[in-house]
């Protein structure tokens, strides 16, 4: 990882690794969309990676925690109903709001497959964007898109309240994370396509989770997601 010299090289390593891992992708996952997570991960900006289908799970699963775990991020995921076209200012929160069709409360598991590197951002890009698994709770279609920045999140481990945060921690509004991704992809002549799922990155700090624990994350007005770890 210390030999990676550029973002393009890191992206190429990520793409090659993902090609070996899975051939079916359901969307994208983000990390570093809140200041607290950027500090914890040693990055200065959001980072994305494709979401492999074999790493996408539904609520209530038991998950075996692999080696190299960093922790869990408490996030929302959105299903996009129309391909997002345009560049720059054309891809804004209003355009994203019109394209979003459903929302899920979500737990994202993060981990490293390599030792930490001297350039954390390039290493994070190369290492699958640190993505291990995405666990989505029950789908919600009845939510206020404009008020997602006010949504309160509470995370509990084995029933004990651990953290709380609000949606505006994610780039000011969770849909801004989707807009940022759409603009970043457009810069590379790529698109978020109809049917893609986008996980926004964590509302609050990344939580350490251990075998034998159950993490439950509630998003007010949207729902909750839960997973037990082995």
């Amino acid at each position: 990882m210390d030999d990676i010299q550029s973002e393009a090289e890191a992206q190429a390593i990520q793409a090659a690794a993902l090609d070996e891992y899975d051939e079916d992708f359901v969307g994208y996952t983000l990390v570093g969309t809140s200041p607290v997570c950027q500090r914890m991960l040693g990055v200065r900006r959001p980072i994305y990676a494709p979401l492999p289908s074999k790493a996408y799970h539904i609520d209530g699963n038991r998950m075996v925690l692999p080696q190299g775990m960093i922790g869990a991020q408490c996030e929302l995921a959105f299903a996009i109903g129309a391909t997002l076209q345009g560049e720059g200012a054309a891809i804004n929160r209003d355009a994203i709001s019109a394209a979003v069709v459903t929302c899920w409360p979500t737990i994202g598991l993060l981990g490293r497959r390599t030792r930490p590197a001297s350039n954390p951002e390039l290493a994070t890009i190369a290492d699958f964007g640190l993505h291990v698994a995405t666990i989505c709770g029950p789908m919600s279609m009845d939510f206020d898109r404009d008020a997602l920045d006010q949504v309160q999140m509470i995370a509990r481990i084995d029933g004990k309240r651990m953290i709380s945060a609000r949606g505006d921690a994610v780039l000011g509004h969770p849909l801004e994370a989707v807009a940022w991704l759409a603009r970043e992809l457009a810069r590379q002549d790529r698109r978020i396509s109809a049917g893609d799922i986008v996980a926004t990155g964590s509302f609050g700090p990344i939580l350490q989770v251990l075998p034998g624990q159950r993490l439950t994350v509630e998003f007010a007005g949207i729902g909750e997601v839960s997973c037990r770890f082995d």
Side-chain angles (χ1 to χ4, degrees):
M1 288 294 176
D2 286 331
D3 292 335
I4 300 173
Q5 298 298 313
S6 68
E7 181 173 339
E9 187 177 353
Q11 291 281 9
I13 293 169
Q14 182 197 97
L18 286 167
D19 282 346
E20 292 296 322
Y21 178 63
D22 199 353
E23 56 186 27
D24 184 26
F25 298 89
V26 298
Y28 297 90
T29 179
L30 291 161
V31 297
T33 53
S34 63
V36 65
C37 291
Q38 289 178 7
R39 290 193 297 271
M40 294 178 78
L41 298 173
V43 301
R44 296 166 294 176
R45 61 183 177 86
I47 291 171
Y48 73 92
L51 175 54
S53 60
K54 67 169 62 173
Y56 173 68
H57 308 276
I58 59 172
D59 182 47
N61 274 15
R62 297 174 70 100
M63 296 287 299
V64 177
L65 295 174
Q67 293 182 358
M69 281 295 303
I70 296 171
Q73 53 181 13
C74 309
E75 56 188 340
L76 293 176
F78 299 104
I80 308 302
T83 299
L84 296 172
Q85 304 286 351
E87 296 183 8
I91 304 178
N92 54 31
R93 191 194 306 172
D94 290 339
I96 301 301
S97 181
V100 164
V101 291
T102 58
C103 177
W104 292 270
T106 301
I107 295 169
L109 298 183
L110 305 181
R112 290 188 175 91
R113 296 154 187 85
T114 64
R115 290 190 296 270
S118 57
N119 189 320
E121 287 189 9
L122 296 183
T124 294
I125 292 169
D127 193 359
F128 294 82
L130 303 180
H131 181 255
V132 173
T134 294
I135 305 153
C136 287
M139 178 189 299
S140 174
M141 300 183 70
D142 183 20
F143 60 96
D144 187 342
R145 290 159 173 76
D146 291 334
L148 286 170
D149 58 334
Q150 302 300 309
V151 168
Q152 296 287 336
M153 179 277 293
I154 299 174
R156 296 179 173 88
I157 292 180
D158 294 337
K160 181 179 179 181
R161 181 168 172 161
M162 303 301 294
I163 59 170
S164 61
R166 205 169 63 173
D168 57 2
V170 179
L171 298 181
H173 191 289
L175 292 182
E176 291 289 356
V178 186
W180 176 89
L181 174 64
R183 290 191 293 268
E184 186 70 10
L185 291 174
R187 190 173 62 85
Q188 304 170 39
D189 199 27
R190 298 163 63 191
R191 300 287 184 268
I192 298 176
S193 299
D196 279 349
I197 295 166
V198 178
T200 63
S202 192
F203 277 39
I206 298 166
L207 281 173
Q208 183 182 31
V209 289
L210 301 172
Q213 293 180 331
R214 176 175 290 278
L215 172 61
T216 302
V217 186
E218 177 186 358
F219 294 86
I222 295 175
E224 72 174 37
V225 57
S226 180
C227 187
R228 180 172 178 81
F229 303 107
D230 294 327

